[in-house]
Amino acid sequence: VAIDERRILLEKQSHELQEKNEELTKLYEITNSQKEEIISSINYAQRIQNAILPPEAYITELINENFIFFKPKEIVSGDFYWIKQMNQYIILVCADCTGHGVPGAFLSMLGISYLNEIIQRKEITQANQVLNELRKEIKHSLRQTGKEEESREGIDMAICVIDTGKSIMQYSGAYIPLYIIRNTGSEPALKEIKADTMPVGVHFSSDKSFTNHEIKLEIGDTFYLSTDGFIDQVGENTRFSSKKFKKLLLEICSQPMFEQREILERTLSQWMGNHSQRDDILVIGARL
């Protein structure tokens, strides 16, 4: 009798185990299907985002010597770049939205849309005024009034406006500095023009105007804009740092622009080693 009871119990347990296995298999299939749908949607979003970013040929048409090193952390990116010509002005933007992946990509689409509105429709071409206008639009869209419980999303951004007629460049920055390398003597010298320490979005000093810098350009000047993804990337248990980044720019500045991009990519890869990418990465270089 005891043997029969034990056999019945084992059969019951085996049946329950089989049912649980079938349930788990179904759940796995459902989860896998949902995952594939999500990845498919994000891949489609990436195609849309890539279509909105300016094509390489258009950038080269406006600035002959340039490179864009763009490496999203996930499939879509919160970093973006933008360029347009308005009359004699070439307007170049390097931007980093709060977050990365899907949330960052949503904000990047909003930023690109407003840049088109401000620069193309309103024809505003003063660098700091573009940032001031964009801040107003972002705060209005996200209903930001400065209250504690509200969203704190914003955009770090650098904008350069090159006057091709006068060889003058305006620069205005929200957390993203401008690096200019110029051959002043036997050695190239790097000058950093610091950004304002406030984002394009809500901030305790968000009524304050962004600073407008004017730089007289010389033939051969090379300038760089970079989001914080490169300098914040961890490798060897420490950040790459802006000090190392500026040293690297000085070392590679005389190389052709496409080679500079390759060196940046190779350096980053070696630095990262087995560490995962922390953030979206965007570095823009241009030689005039």
Side-chain angles (χ1 to χ4, degrees):
V1 175
I3 292 168
D4 285 349
E5 283 177 357
R6 184 176 166 77
R7 185 172 54 78
I8 290 162
L9 182 65
L10 284 169
E11 282 176 0
K12 187 184 174 190
Q13 285 175 340
S14 174
H15 183 66
E16 284 173 358
L17 196 61
Q18 193 177 344
E19 281 183 344
K20 282 193 172 116
N21 276 339
E22 283 170 6
E23 276 177 36
L24 283 170
T25 303
K26 277 179 192 170
L27 275 171
Y28 174 77
E29 284 169 0
I30 290 165
T31 308
N32 215 35
S33 171
Q34 287 173 339
K35 183 186 171 187
E36 282 174 10
E37 279 179 31
I38 291 164
I39 290 171
S40 174
S41 291
I42 295 171
N43 282 332
Y44 188 66
Q46 182 196 36
R47 287 205 295 276
I48 295 167
Q49 190 175 46
N50 286 346
I52 288 168
L53 291 171
E56 197 177 308
Y58 179 67
I59 300 168
T60 304
E61 194 181 305
L62 299 182
I63 301 172
N64 184 36
E65 292 189 80
N66 75 83
F67 72 78
I68 307 279
F69 176 35
F70 181 52
K71 189 174 168 63
K73 179 184 185 293
E74 291 162 20
I75 299 167
V76 286
S77 174
D79 285 8
F80 71 88
Y81 50 96
W82 187 95
I83 190 169
K84 278 284 185 296
Q85 177 154 24
M86 286 293 295
N87 305 317
Q88 81 267 34
Y89 300 108
I90 295 167
I91 300 114
L92 176 66
V93 170
C94 172
D96 179 359
C97 300
T98 304
H100 41 73
V102 175
F106 268 115
L107 198 50
S108 78
M109 302 294 266
L110 198 63
I112 290 167
S113 172
Y114 282 133
L115 282 169
N116 284 322
E117 168 80 7
I118 292 161
I119 292 167
Q120 285 192 287
R121 203 176 71 77
K122 294 184 181 176
E123 295 191 7
I124 295 171
T125 52
Q126 186 170 310
N128 67 327
Q129 283 304 106
V130 173
L131 290 186
N132 290 338
E133 280 291 310
L134 184 59
R135 179 173 58 193
K136 270 197 301 193
E137 297 289 3
I138 294 286
K139 283 169 69 179
H140 177 72
S141 290
L142 301 179
R143 296 181 174 83
Q144 294 176 333
T145 60
K147 290 176 186 167
E148 198 64 41
E149 68 277 7
E150 290 173 349
S151 71
R152 312 297 290 180
E153 284 78 16
I155 306 176
D156 296 349
M157 184 178 285
I159 177 164
C160 292
V161 180
I162 303 160
D163 185 332
T164 56
K166 295 180 180 174
S167 294
I168 289 172
M169 181 164 74
Q170 299 171 50
Y171 154 77
S172 190
Y175 284 119
I176 296 179
L178 168 69
Y179 304 114
I180 293 188
I181 296 180
R182 180 173 288 172
N183 283 307
T184 48
S186 56
E187 293 289 320
L190 183 146
K191 183 181 180 183
E192 177 181 355
I193 299 173
K194 294 190 183 295
D196 291 309
T197 53
M198 53 185 181
V200 179
V202 73
H203 189 257
F204 65 85
S205 59
S206 61
D207 289 333
K208 187 181 166 191
S209 174
F210 286 95
T211 312
N212 204 55
H213 302 267
E214 278 202 359
I215 303 115
K216 180 72 181 161
L217 297 170
E218 293 180 13
I219 292 167
D221 281 355
T222 310
F223 68 91
Y224 303 88
L225 301 169
S226 175
T227 60
D228 59 7
F230 199 114
I231 63 171
D232 282 346
Q233 179 57 48
V234 170
E236 301 173 19
N237 299 317
T238 182
R239 289 164 63 250
F240 192 83
S241 80
S242 59
K243 186 181 176 182
K244 274 197 200 77
F245 184 67
K246 287 184 272 190
K247 184 172 178 283
L248 177 61
L249 293 181
L250 271 169
E251 285 168 1
I252 68 173
C253 67
S254 60
Q255 301 292 332
M257 300 310 279
F258 73 92
E259 280 186 25
Q260 291 189 35
R261 187 200 171 284
E262 286 172 7
I263 295 166
L264 284 169
E265 190 166 14
R266 198 162 57 243
T267 305
L268 182 74
S269 178
Q270 288 166 355
W271 174 258
M272 283 170 68
N274 294 324
H275 292 85
S276 58
Q277 188 175 330
R278 289 182 61 172
D279 198 0
D280 298 320
I281 290 166
L282 172 61
V283 184
I284 300 170
R287 184 178 288 136
L288 302 169

